Amino acid sequence: MAATAQRPAGARSIGARLGVWFGLAVIAVWTLAPIAVMVFTSFKPSGEIFTVPPTLLPREWTLANYLSVFTTSSMPQALRNSVVVGLLVALLTLTLGTSAGYALARIRFRGARSVSLFILLGQMVPLTVLLLALFRMINAIGFSDTVVGVALAHLVITLPLVTWMIRNQIAAIPYELEEAAMIDGCSRVDAVLYAVLPVAGPGLAAAGMFAFLQSWHEFVLASVLTRSDRSRTAPIALTEFATEFDVDWGATMAASVVLTVPLVIAFVALQRYLVNGLTGGAVKG
């Protein structure tokens, strides 16, 4: 009787698991299908892209679209600019966000929580409202049409949320860890560098990746602050393949694939750091 009574529960459990896996499969297909279309379209000749009926795989594979991207467009220079801007934004965001986040998490002063919430208001302001002010500020400090100017403007997007993320990450670390380090002879700065930051490493890595991603695909600020190929980023260069009367979809898809590859490489490189950060640091052993 007991075995008979358990069968319906087991059947329900299997049904629930199948439902979960089916839902995950649907989400995966829905997410990966546009990427697959983008990748395979980048290898199609221009005359095959709009054939009826449409096909996913190319009938004739070609690298002409990638040759066009790397030889007849400004995409190579734009990619270099995007990498430089993204790294600058990640570095500046982590430096400023970690300093501000630590102060908000550890230093007790009146209105600390209000200041934390006020910082988040920067995420609520529409970016278009800040365009004129940012444009005039970047011009005033002499960084107009430069990768440094674009990076400084992108801090408006990344710094508020990263500061809040790091503040919560540090607040979750026991203060006794710093006290133990200072008892052993460390200064407060040394305690933060060698005791707190290794424990907060995964959170800092996630915050740095968030800042890099936000800078990598940002279009509005870069389109306003750049005027030449020396500072134009990859999302802006992507518009070169669209003219008034025609769009080179093959080259556009090839450029989109090229834009995606650095993100995949960054995630693969970051994964090892995340594992080391979770298993190492001051709490090891």
Side-chain angles (χ1 to χ4, degrees):
M1 294 292 294
T4 305
Q6 289 178 358
R7 286 177 185 173
R12 286 195 297 269
S13 177
I14 294 175
R17 291 180 182 178
L18 289 176
V20 170
W21 282 108
F22 177 77
L24 291 175
V26 171
I27 294 174
V29 171
W30 182 263
T31 304
L32 296 177
I35 299 176
V37 172
M38 176 185 72
V39 173
F40 289 125
T41 302
S42 68
F43 290 102
K44 291 182 179 181
S46 58
E48 191 181 326
I49 294 177
F50 293 103
T51 56
V52 179
T55 58
L56 179 61
L57 297 177
R59 296 190 182 95
E60 180 184 349
W61 295 74
T62 179
L63 294 176
N65 297 320
Y66 288 92
L67 292 175
S68 175
V69 168
F70 285 106
T71 59
T72 63
S73 72
S74 64
M75 184 58 71
Q77 177 65 40
L79 285 171
R80 289 192 291 269
N81 293 339
S82 287
V83 171
V84 173
V85 171
L87 293 177
L88 281 175
V89 170
L91 179 62
L92 291 174
T93 301
L94 284 179
T95 302
L96 299 175
T98 301
S99 302
Y102 179 85
L104 292 172
R106 291 289 192 248
I107 300 175
R108 304 300 177 189
F109 59 92
R110 182 178 298 178
R113 184 166 181 81
S114 299
V115 172
S116 301
L117 294 175
F118 181 76
I119 290 175
L120 279 182
L121 289 178
Q123 298 294 119
M124 299 174 149
V125 179
L127 194 58
T128 52
V129 176
L130 305 175
L131 282 178
L132 179 59
L134 284 173
F135 181 78
R136 298 191 65 175
M137 290 171 61
I138 297 300
N139 279 341
I141 60 178
F143 288 120
S144 176
D145 196 27
T146 63
V147 293
V148 177
V150 177
L152 292 176
H154 285 176
L155 293 179
V156 175
I157 306 172
T158 62
L159 195 55
L161 189 57
V162 166
T163 300
W164 181 264
M165 292 167 60
I166 296 177
R167 180 256 182 197
N168 292 338
Q169 183 78 16
I170 294 177
I173 300 173
Y175 183 65
E176 289 76 14
L177 193 64
E178 293 177 59
E179 290 181 332
M182 288 187 284
I183 290 174
D184 289 338
C186 291
S187 64
R188 176 178 284 271
V189 175
D190 290 336
V192 172
L193 291 178
Y194 299 113
V196 176
L197 294 187
V199 179
L204 296 178
M209 177 57 67
F210 168 80
F212 185 87
L213 288 176
Q214 290 294 103
S215 172
W216 183 263
H217 64 68
E218 198 282 323
F219 181 86
V220 176
L221 288 175
S223 65
V224 173
L225 296 174
T226 60
R227 298 187 298 273
S228 63
D229 292 343
R230 67 173 185 172
S231 61
R232 189 172 290 123
T233 56
I236 311 303
L238 195 62
T239 62
E240 291 183 11
F241 304 106
T243 62
E244 184 178 359
F245 302 104
D246 188 28
V247 177
D248 189 348
W249 288 109
T252 300
M253 295 298 102
S256 300
V257 172
V258 172
L259 282 174
T260 306
V261 169
L263 301 184
V264 176
I265 295 174
F267 273 116
V268 171
L270 184 64
Q271 184 179 9
R272 179 181 300 179
Y273 174 80
L274 287 174
V275 173
N276 292 336
L278 288 170
T279 58
V283 297
K284 186 176 181 180

